[in-house]
Amino acid sequence: MKQLHSFDNQLFLPDMELVDTYRRHLNYLRVSVTDRCNLQCIYCIPQGKIKNLPHAEVLRYEEILRIVRIGVHLGISKVRITGGEPLVRKGIYGFLGKLNSIKGLKDVSLTTNGVLLKNNLDKIKTAGIKRLNISLDTLNPAKFKRITRHAHFSDVWDGIMKAHEMGFAPIKLNIVILRGINDNEILDLARLSLDYPFHVRFIEYMPIGDAGIIDGQTILTPEIKNRLHQLGELTVVQNKVTDGPALRFKFPDAPGEVGFISAISHHFCHTCNRLRLTASGQLRPCLLADTQFDLKEPLRQGYLDRDLAEIFFKAAGFKQREHHLAGNRPSKVAGQMSAIGG
Ligand code: SAM
């Protein structure tokens, strides 16, 4: 019989951890707090008018906090806040502070495009966030505008520099390389790891939603890695168990690192420990498969924590062994990245 635990003075939860069919322990929840963004990156959001979720469809902060508390009881120890752009949501800094004070949660981090970073780093620090992932696909302001459809390069760059000065570490720079767009900057971007203690991470483009990127524009890790040989020999940096899926490397004497997130060419599904909570309250076992389980309606209908915990277990049970975006019969993900949370 399941042991029951009292929780939040009102409810009872099963004393079990989230382990999927393939014995992967799911201890990492990525939470999208909004589908709205102040950029419109060409590989992420389709051109033209974007239909955002109506406000009522977006989980309220207290709803997210309740879901995270349940997740933590079931073994979630790490949460990353993402979006859309998390910093455009009103009240985000207070929410981050509350999230960070959830007992049992060991690590809370933030993924941002950096546009609003510079003037809000104090609040992010006060909220207890130490680690930041910042997206930066180019070092060229004109190209930044072409990729993101907005002219905010210097805001982002200043934000990165200020975060570095304030001691946020590690600062991970997320880069999606597209042929004919920013592939001529692979070396310049990697060079940042020679000048700063940044983790420069090349992320393979994933076919999610309708961004309209065509096959010829995508570049996989082996090609990027090959090009980097011009800068020196890359030596492997050993991943810790708690590290994400990036394969990590270093140039000789570099203060920073270069990493590759190769979801297509070398998927890391066998080590995947993640669940995702979308802005609209759907629990998703895999970024790259459209199966999801609604938490929002049950939560709003007054389900008890233990009933919501059952939805976590159901999602864990549906986590497939691996995604099907590569190989002989590649598929596509219908959901939009900005709503699911990258
Ligand atoms: N707005 C925040 C940001 O820009 O970092 C967080 C959300 S964004 C969706 C998170 C990450 O997903 C970014 O680093 C972005 O480059 C990446 N991303 C978006 N669409 C992608 C795609 N189709 N393939 C690979 N990475 C993608």
Side-chain angles (χ1 to χ4, degrees):
M1 203 176 107
K2 282 178 190 172
Q3 245 190 306
L4 296 176
H5 264 262
S6 73
F7 189 68
D8 258 12
N9 296 328
Q10 44 161 341
L11 307 160
F12 293 91
L13 279 169
D15 193 15
M16 282 170 71
E17 296 214 332
L18 290 165
V19 181
D20 75 4
T21 324
Y22 305 97
R23 294 172 183 243
R24 292 171 296 200
H25 283 259
L26 308 181
N27 55 13
Y28 184 8
L29 183 66
R30 290 177 83 114
V31 178
S32 171
V33 291
T34 178
D35 62 330
R36 284 155 211 267
C37 192
N38 44 3
L39 297 181
Q40 220 187 327
C41 298
I42 52 174
Y43 53 80
C44 186
I45 299 182
Q47 189 158 24
K49 198 160 165 38
I50 318 147
K51 216 169 156 243
N52 285 121
L53 288 167
H55 281 291
E57 294 300 311
V58 176
L59 283 183
R60 295 191 289 271
Y61 285 135
E62 55 276 23
E63 293 173 329
I64 299 176
L65 291 168
R66 179 169 169 208
I67 291 170
V68 172
R69 276 191 207 105
I70 294 169
V72 168
H73 190 89
L74 304 177
I76 297 289
S77 58
K78 207 172 150 179
V79 168
R80 171 169 295 280
I81 296 303
T82 180
E85 172 50 36
L87 301 190
V88 301
R89 183 157 174 190
K90 235 168 117 184
I92 185 73
Y93 306 105
F95 163 73
L96 290 173
K98 285 188 187 146
L99 188 65
N100 236 324
S101 63
I102 291 181
K103 237 170 104 191
L105 197 53
K106 299 194 181 101
D107 186 78
V108 178
S109 54
L110 175 71
T111 297
T112 170
N113 60 30
V115 171
L116 297 174
L117 207 50
K118 188 174 51 179
N119 297 325
N120 293 300
L121 281 159
D122 287 331
K123 285 178 255 172
I124 293 173
K125 200 167 194 173
T126 305
I129 306 285
K130 298 184 182 75
R131 302 194 301 107
L132 294 173
N133 284 20
I134 306 166
S135 304
L136 181 76
D137 298 314
T138 175
L139 296 170
N140 174 321
K143 203 183 291 174
F144 184 96
K145 185 164 180 215
R146 181 173 169 207
I147 294 174
T148 68
R149 301 181 176 117
H150 290 272
H152 284 304
F153 174 79
S154 55
D155 295 322
V156 177
W157 183 252
D158 293 351
I160 293 171
M161 287 299 130
K162 190 166 171 200
H164 170 48
E165 283 156 23
M166 285 175 65
F168 284 88
I171 292 175
K172 296 183 182 174
L173 301 179
N174 287 350
I175 302 162
V176 177
I177 294 289
L178 294 173
R179 198 182 304 282
I181 297 196
N182 58 351
D183 63 320
N184 60 343
E185 289 189 74
I186 290 174
L187 297 182
D188 291 338
L189 288 159
R191 231 178 244 121
L192 292 174
S193 76
L194 298 171
D195 299 334
Y196 302 96
F198 299 157
H199 293 196
V200 173
R201 295 151 26 115
F202 293 101
I203 303 176
E204 284 178 349
Y205 168 75
M206 294 172 270
I208 298 175
D210 304 318
I213 298 298
I214 52 171
D215 278 353
Q217 286 180 289
T218 62
I219 300 193
L220 300 179
T221 294
E223 181 177 342
I224 297 177
K225 215 168 149 205
N226 248 336
R227 294 208 209 172
L228 291 182
H229 284 142
Q230 291 177 55
L231 283 187
E233 202 186 329
L234 284 170
T235 53
V236 174
V237 176
Q238 244 5 289
N239 265 22
K240 291 194 227 87
V241 189
T242 48
D243 282 343
L247 294 174
R248 298 164 58 190
F249 298 86
K250 226 177 190 325
F251 288 114
D253 301 323
E257 296 184 12
V258 171
F260 302 96
I261 301 186
S262 319
I264 305 297
S265 67
H266 189 81
H267 74 74
F268 35 81
C269 302
H270 60 292
T271 61
C272 183
N273 57 351
R274 300 169 182 194
L275 287 171
R276 286 169 196 268
L277 179 64
T278 71
S280 63
Q282 309 299 309
L283 193 59
R284 245 177 122 101
C286 173
L287 170 65
L288 301 176
D290 284 310
T291 313
Q292 54 188 25
F293 299 86
D294 186 25
L295 276 168
K296 184 178 78 238
E297 280 319 307
L299 190 145
R300 290 184 180 175
Q301 283 167 22
Y303 277 39
L304 298 179
D305 283 8
R306 65 160 178 239
D307 302 322
L308 300 176
E310 284 306 325
I311 298 173
F312 268 89
F313 286 115
K314 202 163 169 197
F318 270 81
K319 197 166 164 74
Q320 54 187 11
R321 181 143 59 143
E322 55 189 45
H323 71 71
H324 302 292
L325 291 192
N328 295 336
R329 288 188 296 131
S331 58
K332 200 170 180 296
V333 181
Q336 209 57 49
M337 181 71 126
S338 49
I340 305 167

